[in-house]
Amino acid sequence: QITERIIVLFVVINSQEEIQGKYVVCVLFLLWNLVDVVRYTYNMLARMGIYYLPLTWLNFSLCIPLYLLSVLAKAFAICVSLPYFESFGTYSIKLPFPFAFSIYFPYLLKMYLLVLFIGMCFITQNLFSERKAHLGTGNIKIKRS
């Protein structure tokens, strides 16, 4: 997840000034922060042995659609940035004669989109199984302080 955010934030968004002002960047940051606030609050309280049922439900139910929306926002940000990477040639490299090899960065971004959606399927399946394991059994302990 950290690598994914670093790629999108620093490679895609930060390197192209034209992308930084788009609404998709604001939506992406909003989704990332919503997921993190719920997840980190739940994990902190769970470490202390406190299980608050609405927060548990938010962590295992609301995070699934928020994760899917954040993947779509990442994909949209990458698609919006592709024309700028193609026209400016940012991060595209042509190696000298002995190698005669070039790396065209928009192709790498398109392959990353494919990997992003394949990974989204596996992570969503894992999130659903975690939700079933935590909310389906009904074994949530409530600790009062």
Side-chain angles (χ1 to χ4, degrees), residues 114-145:
L114 179 65
V115 171
L116 185 68
F117 283 113
I118 291 171
M120 178 189 70
C121 296
F122 287 113
I123 290 175
T124 304
Q125 183 180 9
N126 186 35
L127 289 173
F128 274 117
S129 65
E130 282 183 8
R131 182 183 188 282
K132 184 178 178 183
H134 284 84
L135 297 179
T137 59
N139 60 355
I140 298 172
K141 301 174 189 172
I142 299 175
K143 180 180 178 181
R144 302 198 185 253
S145 28

Side-chain angles (χ1 to χ4, degrees), residues 1-129:
Q1 183 182 13
I2 292 172
T3 306
E4 194 174 294
R5 289 185 182 185
I6 287 172
I7 290 171
V8 171
L9 179 62
F10 291 111
V11 175
V12 176
I13 295 172
N14 196 31
S15 66
Q16 299 293 335
E17 279 189 35
E18 294 81 6
I19 303 300
Q20 295 171 7
K22 303 284 185 186
Y23 289 114
V24 69
V25 175
C26 181
V27 170
L28 184 60
F29 289 155
L30 177 71
L31 291 170
W32 280 349
N33 287 321
L34 282 174
V35 168
D36 287 345
V37 164
V38 171
R39 182 172 21 138
Y40 292 141
T41 305
Y42 171 79
N43 288 337
M44 178 188 65
L45 291 176
R47 283 282 183 183
M48 296 181 349
I50 300 170
Y51 294 95
Y52 184 58
L53 188 60
L55 186 61
T56 303
W57 183 86
L58 278 173
N59 185 47
F60 292 108
S61 298
L62 186 65
C63 286
I64 295 171
L66 287 179
Y67 172 73
L68 294 173
L69 288 173
S70 71
V71 168
L72 290 176
K74 280 184 262 189
F76 188 71
I78 291 171
C79 288
V80 167
S81 70
L82 279 174
Y84 298 108
F85 281 109
E86 289 172 353
S87 64
F88 297 137
T90 310
Y91 300 127
S92 294
I93 301 169
K94 186 169 184 169
L95 298 175
F97 175 68
F99 300 106
F101 185 77
S102 63
I103 299 172
Y104 189 59
F105 190 68
Y107 289 157
L108 290 177
L109 283 179
K110 289 174 186 177
M111 286 189 294
Y112 178 72
L113 281 174
L114 179 65
V115 171
L116 185 68
F117 283 113
I118 291 171
M120 178 189 70
C121 296
F122 287 113
I123 290 175
T124 304
Q125 183 180 9
N126 186 35
L127 289 173
F128 274 117
S129 65

